[in-house]
Amino acid sequence: MEETQLKRRNFLKAAVASTVAAGTLSATAAQAETASSKKDVVKAASKIPRKLLGTTGASVPILQLGTSQRLDPKYDRIMHRCFKEGVDYFDTALSYGWGSSHRAIANFLKQMGDRKNIWLTSKSGSEDPDELIRDIDQCLSELETDYLDLYLMHGVNDTDLLGKDFIRAGEKLRKSGKTRFFGFSCHSGNVVELMNLAAKVGGIDAILFRYNFRRYGDRELNLAIDACKKAGIGLMAMKTMGSVPSGAEKVVKFQSQDFTLAQAKLKSVWADERIDTVVSEMDSVRVTRENVAAAKTEKSLAASDMHQLHQLAAQTAHLSCQGCSNLCEASVAQNVRIADTLRFLMYHECYGQAEKAQALYRALPQEERQFNNVDFTAATKICPQGIDIENRIKHAQNLLA
Ligand code: SF4
């Protein structure tokens, strides 16, 4: 991807520093650094900054490794690399890696032999409190550990899932010691409603939600974030790249003294002090190095960096679904999954994850991906991103069906 190319001099300093930290930089290259850049190296070689997760009292790195990609079950070098850099927070789920993520992480835990210094979050997509309680045993068994640090209800899209029975299930699991903390993740359009409700009902320690430079102007979301912050809920951002196909991002020729486009996107989320930490699916050493360097540097985004992100958001909005399924899906007569389909299209188009995108799409119930007789006129009209929904869905069908 264009944005991940390590072009800029200042970024190279930070990335080189990261390589020094991993002990792989040649002596010649290191000596070539100037005195001032050596100072940068020392700074950047320190560990990833940490923040308290809401009012849990737990300290977490501002960058976490998301593990929905396939991990190497024998020796996952990204996980090891992350841990060395201070990214000691690993975010997984029963469904990740087609059910293989937990086993690979279990192996990593054995290799590290340092469970207490590794944070494990896992998730269950169950919509029944008893199953939620049962599922944590499966997580623990697969991960070969006796506790999770955080257990999340996965992909919550219904306010009923914040009802008393679910909150009680979370309390029960905390008391049992099977998890230290409890919360939920949400990709959906009713994130604002869910966050406001979570701030009221209590019992939710942390929320993982979609947040990126495209959402800054969203007043309702901002108020919901404020409410959660006030309630002491830990806020964890995902989908921070707000990705569109890399060719489309060329409409803005992003130029920065300090950051690549991907780094600037991360920095824009960290600039929001209400966000405690960011989950990033780092699927290569190159991306890991780039993200880690961004997390470590004390440099902030320049006003011109931010301005370019705003321009990018405006000019590519029509390609970036923000998951507000409550708007478009309520505007069509059929019970179809528009937002999920466009998310899977993003995996294919933006991250080159064709296999994952196709598998997720094909796992949708047949009737929920039956788009042929759907009239998208009202949905397209209401879409705040200005997406030509019919065309994008057709494109998704061609690629994923
Ligand atoms: S297509 Fe538009 S309305 Fe539907 S979820 Fe995406 S951004 Fe929201």
Side-chain angles (χ1 to χ4, degrees), residues 321-325 327-328 338-339 342 383-385 387 389:
C321 175
Q322 291 297 305
C324 35
S325 52
L327 299 179
C328 57
I338 297 172
L342 295 182
C383 174
Q385 295 292 104
I387 293 172
I389 297 177

Side-chain angles (χ1 to χ4, degrees), residues 24-50:
T24 55
L25 183 69
S26 75
T28 317
Q31 282 157 6
E33 291 292 315
T34 61
S36 69
S37 67
K38 276 181 187 162
K39 203 168 127 201
D40 285 350
V41 167
V42 171
K43 249 188 213 172
S46 61
K47 292 282 185 182
I48 300 273
R50 302 182 77 86

Side-chain angles (χ1 to χ4, degrees), residues 64 89 91-96 121-127 132 150-158 161-162 182-191 194-195 198 204-210 233-234 236-239 279 343:
Q64 316 170 16
Y89 186 126
D91 176 277
T92 182
L94 277 165
S95 59
Y96 281 3
T121 294
S122 193
K123 316 181 192 81
S124 158
S126 172
E127 297 188 347
L132 198 63
L150 176 60
Y151 187 45
L152 300 178
M153 293 185 278
H154 196 173
V156 167
N157 59 6
D158 184 340
L161 296 176
L162 296 184
F182 179 73
F184 66 91
S185 70
C186 173
H187 299 92
S188 302
N190 58 349
V191 62
L194 289 163
M195 289 176 85
I204 296 294
D205 298 307
I207 300 173
L208 175 60
F209 70 110
R210 182 195 294 253
I233 296 173
M236 309 183 290
M238 63 175 165
K239 314 285 179 215
V279 175
R343 181 158 57 91

